[in-house]
Amino acid sequence: MLATFDEVVARAKQRPSAKVAIAAAQDRDVLEAVQMAREIGMGEFVLVGDEELIASMASQTGLRLSDLEVLHEPDPRIAALRAVELVSSGQAGILMKGLIPTADFLRAVLNKEVGLRTGRLLSHVAVFKSPRYDRLIYMTDGAMVVAPTLQDKVQIIQNAIGVAHKLENEMPKVACIATVEVVNPDMPETVDAAALAKMSDRGQISGCIVDGPLGLDNAVCRESAEHKGVGGPVAGRADILLAPNIVAGNVIYKTLVYFGQVETAAVVTGARAPIVLTSRSDSPEARLNSLALAIATS
């Protein structure tokens, strides 16, 4: 089981020909990540966007465009479609967002003619490495699905365990996060959590162990779980945290980024290929980790 981002990067470097198509690549932060990836021999890149702006920003970051393929398309929306088409046609295996609004980027991803639809729900999987834990912790979904239904949560879990499996966590433990550890009809997320746990027990969700509802503390901390008398195979040992909604997931993600000493990465999954959808708040290291995560799981 891969337990650090160094191991994820090493896995990605084993696939040096993995090609990333970047939509509207005239983004300095993204080009810095590309430069970092090139320095360590990770991946190949196709930059789709405004060639003049890309060249100007590349010179500022030290990125040599002579080693890269650049496709000139100044209109970000058309650039997104061209990047998506590179992936859907098999000319690239990973898609990355550049300087384009997320809505326009996702509109290209879901385009009926050249898009990356699979019939599955698209969801966001964040990955964290804290010095307090000996493993990677996954969290979903803090960026894509606003108010997931019970069936949405089943697909979100399946997407997350697909990422975990590719990083060799063969039976991840999934904690359905809520405010309390008991089912309360006034808190729908606790009812969903109990249903998901029972679905896991009966094999309706496979490849993982699901339990809940669990508070965040007793999902990841054995001492907290023992103190509260919360038992089961997941309590205190969770690998994947299922947020009840996008608000909770987004707050968990940003709290860890800004207040915790954690390394981060993220990928959007459920499409025909991994999608790197980084945030403006992400550090260059986080962008590199996200690229490595996408390549390693492609």
Side-chain angles (χ1 to χ4, degrees):
M1 179 173 69
L2 277 62
T4 68
F5 281 117
D6 285 344
E7 294 174 355
V8 176
V9 169
R11 173 65 58 81
K13 287 171 65 176
Q14 293 174 5
R15 304 189 64 239
S17 62
K19 186 168 287 188
V20 182
I22 303 178
Q26 59 272 13
D27 183 305
R28 177 166 178 160
D29 292 337
V30 168
L31 294 178
E32 284 181 352
V34 172
Q35 167 66 3
M36 293 170 69
R38 297 293 290 166
E39 286 177 349
I40 62 174
M42 188 181 78
E44 296 289 339
F45 297 87
V46 183
L47 310 181
V48 187
D50 189 309
E51 189 170 15
E52 183 176 343
L53 290 176
I54 291 171
S56 174
M57 293 176 184
S59 66
Q60 297 170 25
T61 63
L63 179 63
R64 293 177 54 187
L65 293 183
S66 59
D67 298 333
L68 299 170
E69 184 179 356
V70 180
L71 301 180
H72 178 61
E73 179 46 68
D75 187 319
R77 287 174 293 184
I78 298 176
L81 279 172
R82 291 187 68 183
V84 167
E85 189 171 15
L86 288 171
V87 177
S88 64
S89 65
Q91 298 176 68
I94 300 102
L95 179 67
M96 185 175 189
K97 174 183 171 293
L99 191 63
I100 179 173
T102 299
D104 290 339
F105 177 72
L106 292 176
R107 195 171 292 114
V109 170
L110 298 175
N111 181 275
K112 292 182 179 180
E113 295 180 2
V114 301
L116 304 176
R117 293 170 178 261
T118 63
R120 293 161 54 196
L121 185 72
L122 296 186
S123 60
H124 183 269
V125 180
V127 184
F128 304 101
K129 180 62 177 76
S130 165
R132 295 186 59 184
Y133 297 95
D134 62 354
R135 64 191 185 279
L136 295 172
I137 303 291
Y138 304 74
M139 195 280 298
T140 191
D141 175 337
M144 292 292 293
V145 187
V146 175
T149 64
L150 177 62
Q151 189 54 45
D152 289 340
K153 290 177 182 179
V154 171
Q155 293 188 63
I156 289 169
I157 289 172
Q158 291 171 332
N159 284 346
I161 64 176
V163 175
H165 285 175
K166 289 188 176 180
L167 299 185
E168 299 182 8
N169 188 334
E170 297 178 357
M171 189 58 67
K173 300 176 179 67
V174 182
C176 302
I177 301 302
T179 306
V180 295
E181 297 77 39
V182 296
V183 176
N184 182 338
D186 293 328
M187 296 179 172
E189 65 275 10
T190 68
V191 179
D192 282 356
L196 292 165
K198 181 55 67 177
M199 292 172 76
S200 175
D201 288 344
R202 295 188 174 177
Q204 292 175 264
I205 304 174
S206 60
C208 64
I209 301 170
V210 183
D211 200 7
L214 291 169
L216 180 60
D217 52 352
N218 50 66
V220 297
C221 176
R222 294 187 186 185
E223 291 79 7
S224 177
E226 291 171 359
H227 180 73
K228 290 188 175 182
V230 179
V234 176
R237 302 172 176 83
D239 300 298
I240 298 173
L241 309 177
L242 174 69
N245 53 48
I246 197 172
V247 175
N250 196 267
V251 169
I252 291 171
Y253 181 89
K254 290 181 178 176
T255 298
L256 289 172
V257 168
Y258 285 101
F259 292 99
Q261 294 180 334
V262 298
E263 297 177 79
T264 64
V267 66
V268 173
T269 185
R272 288 168 57 185
I275 300 171
V276 182
L277 185 69
T278 55
S279 166
R280 284 289 168 192
S281 64
D282 288 339
S283 67
E285 292 77 16
R287 294 174 191 275
L288 180 67
N289 288 341
S290 293
L291 274 171
L293 178 64
I295 292 171
T297 58
S298 64

